[in-house]
Amino acid sequence: MAATFEVESTLTDRYQTTVPETVRRALKLGKRDKIHYTIRPSGEVVLTRVEASDGDDPVLGQFLGFLAADITRHPERLQAVDAGLVQRIQSLVGGVDVDLDAALSADDE
């Protein structure tokens, strides 16, 4: 049976902590890596390293992070999409087949 290691870290006043070196080594974490938390019904929390996909776009990820933070800070800014706009969009693109997995042509890149 593999040895079990136990380590501790302390939360700051802002609920931040440093990931202990033994955990960073075990998960092969580097700067800017992401950690996934799984919370089990027993209250146990399992940390795993998030594996970056080759298809991940760092710019898109930053933009989506910006949107998520803005929505969190200002939920009052969210608005429903007007039904008239939805109908107009559908009239413009209705019946258009798109293969999202198809490679772009040289002109489109």
Side-chain angles (χ1 to χ4, degrees), residues 9-30:
S9 64
T10 302
L11 288 176
T12 68
D13 291 336
R14 295 180 60 197
Y15 297 100
Q16 296 175 334
T17 190
T18 299
V19 177
E21 181 183 1
T22 52
V23 175
R24 291 193 312 263
R25 276 191 274 125
L27 296 177
K28 297 180 175 87
L29 291 171

Side-chain angles (χ1 to χ4, degrees), residues 45-96:
V45 178
V46 178
L47 301 177
T48 52
R49 181 177 188 267
V50 175
E51 296 295 331
S53 169
D54 289 339
D56 285 351
D57 182 337
V59 175
L60 179 60
Q62 289 179 354
F63 177 68
L64 293 176
F66 163 77
L67 286 179
D70 190 59
I71 289 169
T72 300
R73 282 193 302 272
H74 303 286
E76 72 279 2
R77 294 181 183 171
L78 293 177
Q79 298 179 10
V81 177
D82 178 73
L85 177 60
V86 172
Q87 289 176 350
R88 184 161 189 274
I89 292 170
Q90 287 173 341
S91 73
L92 294 171
V93 298
V96 175

